[in-house]
Amino acid sequence: MTTVLVLEGPNLNLVGTREPEIYGYETLEQIHSGISARAAELGLGVDFYQSNHEGSLIDRLHQRDFDVAIVNAGGLTHTSIALRDALLAVQRPFVEVHLSDPTRREPFRQVNYLHDIAIESIVGQGARGYHLALESIARRFGGARA
């Protein structure tokens, strides 16, 4: 079974209450529940890790106990060369997901240190973006059905 790590960065623990007009009204717990259900349908294992600390995210990646990741790095997308380096170092493919579309937002969000090393980027789809990432992973790496 393909194991998927869902890695989520700073402030994503506030989804549902933080700027819901941008990020939606579902809480992270609700989003994770939906991801778990869809992963099971697709025959994928899933593990979740969210942190507001860059080093904790990097330490989690270094465990290398997953086959592929879904990464929503939040604001670290635009600032963290260290997270980029960790994603390259662990040699695991990942799909980049963002609830909103950073390219349609503030100018500082135009910098993205992850998109060119991701196997795919899914932006602006809200929580559905995670499901699309799971379906892509199932097609590419195996699962019960996509």
Side-chain angles (χ1 to χ4, degrees), residues 7-10 49 51 53-61 76:
L7 187 78
E8 296 160 310
Y49 189 79
S51 179
H53 305 280
E54 181 180 38
S56 294
L57 296 167
I58 291 167
D59 287 343
R60 180 63 186 90
L61 286 169
L76 293 176

Side-chain angles (χ1 to χ4, degrees), residues 36-48:
S36 291
R38 186 62 180 135
E41 292 171 0
L42 294 167
L44 300 169
V46 67
D47 188 29
F48 300 97

Side-chain angles (χ1 to χ4, degrees), residues 4-73:
V4 179
L5 171 64
V6 178
L7 187 78
E8 296 160 310
N11 300 312
L12 287 164
N13 57 305
L14 299 178
V15 168
T17 59
R18 175 187 173 223
E19 300 175 278
E21 65 282 357
I22 295 173
Y23 301 109
Y25 290 90
E26 279 186 276
T27 66
L28 194 60
E29 183 177 300
Q30 291 168 324
I31 291 170
H32 286 180
S33 179
I35 293 168
S36 291
R38 186 62 180 135
E41 292 171 0
L42 294 167
L44 300 169
V46 67
D47 188 29
F48 300 97
Y49 189 79
Q50 186 278 326
S51 179
N52 294 318
H53 305 280
E54 181 180 38
S56 294
L57 296 167
I58 291 167
D59 287 343
R60 180 63 186 90
L61 286 169
H62 286 184
Q63 291 179 28
R64 296 184 191 191
D65 59 351
F66 58 95
D67 301 304
V68 61
I70 296 172
V71 177
N72 183 343

